[in-house]
Amino acid sequence: TSLARRDQGRPKRDAFVGMLPPKLAQIMVNLAPTKPSGRVLDPFCGTGVILQEAALLGHTVYGTDLSEKMIRYSHDNLAWLKDAYHISFEQDLHVGDAMETSWKQPIDAVACESYLGQPFSAPPSPEKLDQVRKNCNHIISMFLKNISTQLQPGTPLCVGVPAWKDSRGQFTHLPLIKSIEDYGFSIVSFKNTDTHGLLYHREDQIVARELLVLIKK
């Protein structure tokens, strides 16, 4: 009930940029653990869902987005959260392109849903998938290169990236995942799943969110 309230009760929502479920946002913040009052950055903050969940977990929140409209939406949603849940927290929001922004310090953890590309109602043709995959891979690669130079070693990250399901139920992943070490990160190993096991999607969904859980080297 509380998760549904945070999803449906906030004043600003935008289906065009994707509807990140609060329960997934909460998971992502927990997969990038930091100290209780740590400053959590979302470089693709959108309407502020991850920032909401980070604030409720006691963190200072820092959000940037390419769109001024999304920054306004995040501001309104965080104001609503403070009033609805009777809490106070520090926040910083400003416009910034994740591929080239210089973020303010400190950054204690990063949790974000990156660019997922266009939605599909059916598996795309191989040619279309290749085009979309290359575009997403370029944007996310540039983001990782940019943020890597601005993080202290040991900083945790949880980054949601796209993976595409075909008609057989098999997933196509981003090429950059195989070379993540080249960007200055290590992939966190889990005991009960492999690195491609953190996939969030509905049964009928073509574009899944794959969670990359990383540590800055």
Side-chain angles (χ1 to χ4, degrees):
T1 300
S2 183
L3 288 167
R5 180 190 183 200
R6 295 203 292 278
D7 186 26
Q8 299 163 17
R10 58 201 175 104
K12 302 294 185 180
R13 306 170 84 224
D14 192 331
F16 181 77
V17 299
M19 305 289 279
L20 181 68
K23 63 180 178 181
L24 178 58
Q26 188 181 91
I27 289 169
M28 294 172 72
V29 175
N30 283 325
L31 285 173
T34 185
K35 56 189 177 183
S37 59
R39 195 162 181 248
V40 176
L41 167 66
D42 182 351
F44 302 82
C45 69
T47 60
V49 181
I50 288 176
L51 302 179
Q52 285 182 192
E53 298 306 311
L56 287 168
L57 290 168
H59 299 300
T60 297
V61 296
Y62 180 17
T64 62
D65 197 279
L66 183 62
S67 166
E68 183 180 357
K69 175 183 175 183
M70 292 300 101
I71 294 299
R72 286 190 278 108
Y73 277 19
S74 285
H75 183 275
D76 290 349
N77 285 335
L78 291 176
W80 169 83
L81 187 77
K82 289 178 178 180
D83 182 63
Y85 285 81
H86 308 291
I87 60 173
S88 61
F89 51 86
E90 293 183 25
Q91 67 184 63
D92 189 356
L93 301 169
H94 63 81
V95 174
D97 184 341
M99 293 190 289
E100 58 185 32
T101 293
S102 294
W103 289 282
K104 303 172 187 176
Q105 299 295 329
I107 301 171
D108 297 312
V110 178
C112 64
E113 177 180 84
S114 63
Y115 180 61
L116 300 181
Q118 70 184 81
F120 293 105
S121 57
S125 67
E127 295 77 16
K128 184 63 176 178
L129 176 58
D130 183 61
Q131 177 189 0
V132 173
R133 184 178 181 233
K134 284 179 178 177
N135 188 36
C136 291
N137 198 74
H138 170 71
I139 292 171
I140 299 167
S141 294
M142 293 298 291
F143 156 62
L144 290 174
K145 288 178 182 178
N146 181 34
I147 200 167
S148 178
T149 64
Q150 302 182 50
L151 298 178
Q152 294 296 318
T155 303
L157 304 88
C158 182
V159 182
V161 302
W164 297 268
K165 186 171 67 171
D166 63 21
S167 57
R168 300 170 298 166
Q170 302 298 310
F171 284 92
T172 298
H173 304 273
L174 289 176
L176 66 84
I177 295 174
K178 294 183 179 180
S179 57
I180 202 72
E181 299 273 341
D182 295 342
Y183 298 95
F185 300 101
S186 299
I187 294 180
V188 174
S189 297
F190 288 87
K191 185 175 181 179
N192 296 312
T193 188
D194 62 25
T195 55
H196 288 321
L198 300 178
L199 287 163
Y200 184 95
H201 63 98
R202 296 190 304 271
E203 190 172 332
D204 61 346
Q205 216 164 12
I206 304 301
V207 184
R209 295 170 169 100
E210 179 170 3
L211 303 185
L212 302 182
V213 184
L214 311 172
I215 294 289
K216 176 69 174 74
K217 293 196 295 185

